[in-house]
Amino acid sequence: MAASRGKVISLYKSILKECNKFNTYNYRTYAVRRTRDAFREHKNETDPSVISKLVTKAESNLEMVKRQVLIGQMYGEGNLVIENMAKTV
């Protein structure tokens, strides 16, 4: 059974939301960019079996991002200069 459009969009938003929880600016921007690129790359996919595999992969990536965010919060670093500048502007 192929995933519904709503489920894919929900999964996309969930991954982006988790990616934005990274404390480190570089990880955060990389994860958001990779997520957007991956979903855009496959946006015209019509084969139900391929879509199902992609959704399964995205779900496992979501779980991985959640774990990485948690680890990052446990062993966090200070903000980068670019992050401090954005808060003062």
Side-chain angles (χ1 to χ4, degrees), residues 6-82:
K7 179 177 180 170
V8 172
I9 291 171
S10 174
L11 183 57
Y12 174 72
K13 288 180 180 181
S14 295
I15 294 173
L16 285 179
K17 185 176 179 181
E18 283 300 315
C19 289
N20 280 309
K21 291 180 182 179
F22 276 114
N23 287 337
T24 307
Y25 173 80
N26 292 328
Y27 290 147
R28 187 172 52 247
T29 55
Y30 174 78
V32 168
R33 185 177 64 245
R34 279 296 300 132
T35 300
R36 288 181 177 154
D37 290 347
F39 274 81
R40 283 183 188 140
E41 180 182 342
H42 300 290
K43 74 178 183 178
N44 295 322
E45 186 61 57
T46 57
D47 184 2
S49 64
V50 173
I51 292 171
S52 179
K53 288 177 185 175
L54 290 169
V55 167
T56 302
K57 184 177 177 183
E59 289 171 340
S60 69
N61 284 341
L62 174 60
E63 294 305 315
M64 188 247 337
V65 169
K66 285 180 179 180
R67 287 190 303 271
Q68 292 300 323
V69 166
L70 182 62
I71 290 169
Q73 290 171 348
M74 290 169 52
Y75 301 103
E77 304 171 353
N79 290 341
L80 297 175
V81 173
I82 192 168

